[in-house]
Amino acid sequence: MKYINGTSRFILAEVTLNGNTTSSDFTINQPGDYTIIANYVMQYYVITNLNVSAYINGVKGKLSTGWYNRGSTIEVFPQVTPISQNEIYNVTQTFNFIVESPMSIKIPYIVEYYVEVNFTGSPLLAVINGTNRTLVGGYYPAGTTIEIPEYK
């Protein structure tokens, strides 16, 4: 491994000796002509704001801050990431990028909080973000306005 700087490096991918793949350390025991080829892969350090599941070069895995091969294709798909018992990060749309350099990626997500509703009787009607709806327990985006009307 050879670091170019703190965000770029070459990593040894394969060594061939006379056309055959070999380990990175080998012994020459006799005279002769040897063709040794070392293949390196450029990697870049990618910083993400959120650890998520993603397809990395078509294989489902985990995307987090770390080293990725140049040219890697990343597809983050819609998903919910629990943060605590009452908070989630909701990735609502597909987000794609290709690793072409060191980068800082901001995956768009919506912060949502759990609202528990304890109400007996008929459905609890409320005005949610200006719309008349039945209030039910569940996750609501941060900033949601809930108004319980006063009945006199």
Side-chain angles (χ1 to χ4, degrees):
M1 181 173 346
K2 175 171 175 43
Y3 285 88
I4 297 169
N5 54 43
T7 58
S8 302
R9 71 182 185 183
F10 284 110
I11 189 162
L12 183 62
E14 179 183 63
V15 175
T16 59
L17 174 62
N18 292 338
N20 297 311
T21 301
T22 187
S23 66
S24 60
D25 55 344
F26 50 89
T27 304
I28 303 296
N29 290 322
Q30 57 190 1
D33 291 332
Y34 294 95
T35 303
I36 302 167
I37 300 172
N39 293 312
Y40 288 86
V41 173
M42 174 62 87
Q43 290 189 329
Y44 297 118
Y45 198 72
V46 176
I47 298 170
T48 63
N49 63 326
L50 189 61
N51 295 337
V52 292
S53 296
Y55 289 105
I56 302 168
N57 296 322
V59 177
K60 189 175 181 181
K62 289 285 185 189
L63 175 68
S64 60
T65 296
W67 294 98
Y68 293 88
N69 292 349
R70 178 177 55 197
S72 291
T73 59
I74 313 290
E75 178 186 349
V76 178
F77 46 85
Q79 60 195 277
V80 171
T81 301
I83 301 305
S84 69
Q85 183 178 355
N86 296 311
E87 181 180 0
I88 61 172
Y89 291 170
N90 190 353
V91 178
T92 60
Q93 56 191 340
T94 300
F95 180 77
N96 299 303
F97 64 96
I98 298 173
V99 177
E100 294 294 345
S101 64
M103 54 182 59
S104 183
I105 299 299
K106 298 222 181 295
I107 300 164
Y109 63 91
I110 298 169
V111 177
E112 296 185 10
Y113 301 109
Y114 188 78
V115 174
E116 185 174 334
V117 176
N118 291 315
F119 181 74
T120 56
S122 59
L124 180 58
L125 299 178
V127 179
I128 303 172
N129 290 332
T131 303
N132 291 322
R133 293 183 34 201
T134 300
L135 181 61
V136 296
Y139 285 94
Y140 290 84
T144 296
T145 302
I146 300 172
E147 179 187 346
I148 310 296
E150 292 185 34
Y151 295 106
K152 297 182 182 186

